[in-house]
Amino acid sequence: DDPFFLHLNGDRQRYKNALAYTLYSRGIPIVYYGSEQAFDGGDDPDNREPLWPTKYDRSGDLYGTVRALVRYRQHAGVHAHPQVERYAADNVYAFTRGTTFVATTNVGADGADVRYTITYHPYAPGDRLCNVLVPDAADCVTVAAANSFDLVLRRGECKVFAPDADARAFWRALGAQTTVAQ
């Protein structure tokens, strides 16, 4: 076994971006046992941490992120849609799968905010998109009349945008008692 991501790079924001990319990009996603509990899995044999001492903690930020990412992936059926690159730069990569817009960055928690105007997307002017990683439509953007929207990733966060009604339906189904710490 190899050391886990968090052992090599302890930045949880970068890890959340890696998880979002892994779970939403083409192919069969693989997430290691203990990822949701922030296992850092060092060199052998430390990469085989037991889960039971965590008492299956559901309050951690990574648990909430993994739960929301996995559940929305299922809810939206992203596997049935092609991956379309929407924006790429040195510090950001964005793509869609159907109506799901995924934005990732590599700047990490201590990096500068990432800001770009997105003009290549499948939405219409006036469409409202909400980040499914933040409940209760607390992080939304509206597609402008010029058919663009501003993407802002703060402190290394990733975002998974969905049309407003779909995001709200997802959070109702999931139960908005879960908050996802960004």
Side-chain angles (χ1 to χ4, degrees):
D1 290 341
D2 293 323
F4 292 1
F5 183 102
L6 288 174
H7 181 74
L8 302 172
N9 180 333
D11 189 316
R12 286 188 183 203
Q13 289 298 72
R14 283 188 175 141
Y15 191 45
K16 290 175 186 179
N17 279 274
L19 288 167
Y21 180 82
T22 298
L23 288 165
Y24 284 83
S25 64
R26 269 188 314 233
I28 299 170
I30 296 174
V31 177
Y32 288 104
Y33 158 97
S35 294
E36 76 285 0
Q37 297 298 324
F39 285 3
D40 65 2
D43 293 319
D44 199 16
D46 295 330
N47 52 6
R48 294 186 198 100
E49 298 172 70
L51 187 59
W52 56 89
T54 69
K55 297 183 176 147
Y56 309 101
D57 182 17
R58 295 180 180 187
S59 64
D61 66 323
L62 282 175
Y63 180 88
T65 298
V66 170
R67 180 177 188 247
L69 287 170
V70 168
R71 296 271 177 95
Y72 189 74
R73 182 181 190 277
Q74 294 167 336
H75 173 86
V78 298
H79 64 280
H81 302 282
Q83 179 174 331
V84 179
E85 182 178 286
R86 300 299 179 171
Y87 200 92
D90 288 344
N91 59 355
V92 70
Y93 183 71
F95 60 94
T96 55
R97 302 279 309 262
T99 59
T100 302
F101 183 95
V102 181
T104 60
T105 183
N106 59 7
V107 301
D110 295 329
D113 290 354
V114 173
R115 297 172 185 275
Y116 290 100
T117 299
I118 306 298
T119 58
Y120 178 53
H121 56 78
Y123 313 109
D127 284 355
R128 187 167 189 240
L129 310 173
C130 294
N131 182 5
V132 300
L133 299 178
V134 179
D136 301 325
D139 181 12
C140 300
V141 297
T142 301
V143 178
N147 205 27
S148 66
F149 65 91
D150 291 330
L151 173 66
V152 180
L153 304 176
R154 292 185 172 85
R155 296 175 304 283
E157 70 183 339
C158 60
K159 294 188 179 185
V160 177
F161 282 116
D164 183 32
D166 193 40
R168 288 178 186 275
F170 167 69
W171 277 106
R172 276 193 305 274
L174 185 61
Q177 77 281 0
T178 300
T179 55
V180 179
Q182 286 283 328

